[in-house]
């Protein structure tokens, strides 16, 4: 064991000497490894950070949540001309579901795509996301209130002029003033602020921080939700103990009967689960990782050739030393490991520089971008070290073998 520790120490010394004696050559050779490791780890860290941010935003939302809509957000075999003729999901459809479908923990009726100007005295915010939805969304999305309350079922049914606003909107509209009880104007109508959400941070699409929640029946009298109007949906959260496939089948059957769809005809609605969206995200993330590996692979290939070039030159320059070592009793494996360790150390140096660059980017991103955490995980660090070591090992095998097989007399003669 002591012999190999000494060998490792000598190999590190030789690697440092090679760096000092041929700085430009070594820099250019290690640049490929540095760029390759930087590219791979930067992509992996970015994708991991994005994945973590997405999952944090979806945390608390049941992935079995079902959306009933007349449009499809995923691939479908239904021709577009048929989809265009599907009747929108109505409030009566929502009432049918909540009264006739059992094993529902919470349900909501929602109007999508609303963006309006929100005013309070002299403050005006344009293009604000408006979530016109029944009170059930509070339990489905597990919304968290910083102050005040969410509107009740009665307020939802009657379309009361009340509103719950996001954290950032409250700051922008009211500053340090108390928002509860104040009146804001949306759709040109006055609504009383009854609640303010906790701070969520940025995520997928519109953040709750920049969203206003108000009773859907307040909006139904103002905005069109017919065929040419805003899209609508029923959102259902099944109870945790139900068999989701059986629940979905029963829901489809009863809803078809309610909508008057005859046997053999295609359904004039679509059922989409949130789990499908999560799977889609997983697929996108996997594709991004694969692209990152593919593009970075070219740099690593160039870096591997650079390491191999350094090692061949190093073997040639040290022929005399190799011959002397062998004549003094050094075995072939000692020479082999000596150059293998040197190649691995050189590759690791390039990899560590690449990791250092990723770390600097991580610090800069976290300092400049609010509500998004760029994370360089231990797993990615281990991947970088592993790849660097593997590149050094593969690149150094042939030069190390050629060095270990040198005849000592010939090596001393050619090295003189």
């Amino acid at each position: 064991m002591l012999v190999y520790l000494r060998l490792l120490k000598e190999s590190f010394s030789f690697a440092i000497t090679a760096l000092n004696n041929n700085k430009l050559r070594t820099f250019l050779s290690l640049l490929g490894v540095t760029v390759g490791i930087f590219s791979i780890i930067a992509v992996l860290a970015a994708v991991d950070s994005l994945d973590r941010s997405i999952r944090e935003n979806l945390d608390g939302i049941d992935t079995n949540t079902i959306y009933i809509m007349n449009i499809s957000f995923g691939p479908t075999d239904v021709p577009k001309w048929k989809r265009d003729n599907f009747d929108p999901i109505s409030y009566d459809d929502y009432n049918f579901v909540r009264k006739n479908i059992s094993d529902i923990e919470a349900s909501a009726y929602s109007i999508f795509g609303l963006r309006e100007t929100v005013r309070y005295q002299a403050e005006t915010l344009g293009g604000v996301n408006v979530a016109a939805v029944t009170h059930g969304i509070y339990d489905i999305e597990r919304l968290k209130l910083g102050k005040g309350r969410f509107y009740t079922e009665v307020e939802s049914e009657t379309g009361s002029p009340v509103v719950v606003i996001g954290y950032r909107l409250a700051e922008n509209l009211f500053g340090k003033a108390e928002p509860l009880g104040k009146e804001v104007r949306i759709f040109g109508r006055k609504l009383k602020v009854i609640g303010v959400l906790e701070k969520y941070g940025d995520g997928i699409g519109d953040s709750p921080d920049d969203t206003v929640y108000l009773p859907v029946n307040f909006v139904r009298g103002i905005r069109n939700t017919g065929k040419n109007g805003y899209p609508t949906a029923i959102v259902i959260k099944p109870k945790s103990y139900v068999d989701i496939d059986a629940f979905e089948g029963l829901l489809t059957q009863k809803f078809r009967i309610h909508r008057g769809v005859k046997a053999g005809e295609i359904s004039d609605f679509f059922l989409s689960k949130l789990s499908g969206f999560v799977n889609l995200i997983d697929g996108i993330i996997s594709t991004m990782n694969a692209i990152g590996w593919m593009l970075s692979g070219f740099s690593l290939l160039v870096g591997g050739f650079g390491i191999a070039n350094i090692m061949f030159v190093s073997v040639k320059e040290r022929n005399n030393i190799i011959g002397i070592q062998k004549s003094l009793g050094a075995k072939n494996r000692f020479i082999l490991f000596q150059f293998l360790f040197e190649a691995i150390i050189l590759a690791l140096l390039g990899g560590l520089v690449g990791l250092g660059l990723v770390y600097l980017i991580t610090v800069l991103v976290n300092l400049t971008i609010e509500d998004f955490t760029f994370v360089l995980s231990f797993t990615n660090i281990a991947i970088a070290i592993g790849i660097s070591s593997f590149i050094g090992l593969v690149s150094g095998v042939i030069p190390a073998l050629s060095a270990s097989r040198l005849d000592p007399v010939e090596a001393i003669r050619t090295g003189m």
Side-chain angles (χ1 to χ4, degrees):
M1 186 65 183
L2 293 175
V3 173
Y4 288 104
L5 288 175
R6 180 184 173 189
L7 178 60
L8 182 61
K9 179 182 177 182
E10 290 181 358
S11 298
F12 184 77
S13 177
F14 279 127
I16 298 301
T17 301
L19 284 171
N20 288 329
N21 293 341
N22 304 282
K23 293 183 179 64
L24 181 59
R25 184 186 71 190
T26 304
F27 170 75
L28 294 175
S29 298
L30 296 184
L31 190 60
V33 175
T34 298
V35 172
I37 293 298
F38 169 78
S39 302
I40 287 179
I41 302 306
V43 169
L44 292 179
V47 172
D48 285 351
S49 301
L50 179 62
D51 186 36
R52 181 176 300 187
S53 176
I54 291 172
R55 295 187 187 283
E56 284 178 355
N57 280 275
L58 292 177
D59 185 37
I61 302 178
D62 190 346
T63 55
N64 286 327
T65 299
I66 296 173
Y67 292 79
I68 306 178
M69 303 184 70
N70 67 324
I71 58 177
S72 175
F73 287 146
T76 176
D77 295 328
V78 181
K80 187 177 184 302
W81 66 269
K82 284 190 177 182
R83 284 180 276 145
D84 290 342
N85 290 319
F86 288 171
D87 290 330
I89 304 299
S90 67
Y91 194 76
D92 289 337
D93 293 331
Y94 163 66
N95 281 329
F96 169 81
V97 167
R98 66 174 180 161
K99 292 176 182 178
N100 294 277
I101 306 297
S102 58
D103 296 325
I104 291 179
E105 184 174 327
S107 62
Y109 182 72
S110 178
I111 302 174
F112 291 97
L114 293 168
R115 290 193 176 276
E116 290 295 324
T117 299
V118 180
R119 293 185 175 89
Y120 173 70
Q121 295 181 353
E123 295 294 334
T124 300
L125 301 175
V128 174
N129 180 49
V130 177
V133 64
T134 55
H135 72 288
I137 202 67
Y138 181 77
D139 294 319
I140 293 173
E141 295 188 358
R142 297 181 185 175
L143 296 173
K144 300 174 183 177
L145 286 166
K147 57 178 64 177
R149 63 178 180 85
F150 205 75
Y151 45 84
T152 64
E153 182 176 1
V154 173
E155 290 171 325
S156 179
E157 289 285 346
T158 58
S160 298
V162 294
V163 63
V164 176
I165 63 176
Y167 179 88
R168 191 151 43 211
L169 288 178
E171 281 193 333
N172 293 336
L173 284 173
F174 303 103
K176 295 183 178 180
E178 174 59 59
L180 297 182
K182 301 290 194 306
E183 287 187 336
V184 297
R185 280 189 173 272
I186 307 175
F187 302 106
R189 313 288 179 90
K190 290 182 178 180
L191 294 100
K192 183 180 179 181
V193 178
I194 60 172
V196 179
L197 297 178
E198 285 186 2
K199 185 177 181 179
Y200 279 78
D202 295 325
I204 310 171
D206 293 295
S207 168
D209 292 345
D210 303 308
T211 301
V212 293
Y213 292 80
L214 60 161
V216 72
N217 281 344
F218 177 85
V219 180
R220 287 178 64 216
I222 301 173
R223 290 292 182 265
N224 176 28
T225 57
K227 282 193 175 182
N228 298 319
Y230 289 95
T232 55
I234 299 171
V235 188
I236 300 170
K237 180 183 179 182
K239 290 184 177 178
S240 58
Y241 59 78
V242 302
D243 183 322
I244 191 64
D245 292 330
F247 178 86
E248 193 172 351
L250 182 62
L251 173 62
T252 301
Q253 181 185 8
K254 288 189 174 183
F255 204 70
R256 279 174 59 88
I257 295 172
H258 165 71
R259 300 266 285 189
V261 180
K262 298 178 181 178
E265 293 181 348
I266 62 171
S267 298
D268 61 350
F269 58 90
F270 295 95
L271 264 63
S272 303
K273 285 189 293 187
L274 192 61
S275 57
F277 177 65
V278 174
N279 292 336
L280 177 64
I281 291 174
D282 289 340
I284 293 172
I285 287 174
S286 297
T287 301
M288 293 172 65
N289 277 329
I291 293 173
W293 278 95
M294 183 178 64
L295 295 177
S296 305
F298 291 107
S299 295
L300 289 173
L301 185 63
V302 172
F305 284 124
I307 297 292
N309 176 60
I310 286 181
M311 295 313 301
F312 276 118
V313 173
S314 182
V315 169
K316 188 175 181 179
E317 290 177 344
R318 302 210 312 257
N319 271 0
N320 188 41
I321 297 175
I322 295 169
I324 293 173
Q325 286 178 327
K326 283 199 163 190
S327 66
L328 293 175
K331 297 184 181 298
N332 286 352
R333 68 171 181 271
F334 182 87
I335 304 298
L336 175 70
F337 285 135
Q338 182 180 19
F339 283 93
L340 275 182
F341 284 153
E342 184 174 338
I344 292 171
I345 289 169
L346 288 172
L348 276 173
L349 288 174
L352 290 174
V353 174
L355 267 178
L357 293 175
V358 176
Y359 176 75
L360 289 177
I361 289 180
T362 300
V363 173
L364 290 174
V365 169
N366 290 334
L367 287 175
T368 55
I369 299 180
E370 188 179 357
D371 297 327
F372 182 81
T373 304
F374 196 94
V375 179
L376 178 59
S377 67
F378 176 79
T379 300
N380 289 333
I381 293 173
I383 288 173
I385 293 173
I387 292 175
S388 300
S389 301
F390 178 75
I391 292 296
L393 180 65
V394 172
S395 303
V397 164
I398 296 177
L401 281 173
S402 66
S404 67
R405 292 172 180 173
L406 285 175
D407 179 82
V409 176
E410 185 66 21
I412 293 173
R413 186 182 65 82
T414 55
M416 294 178 65

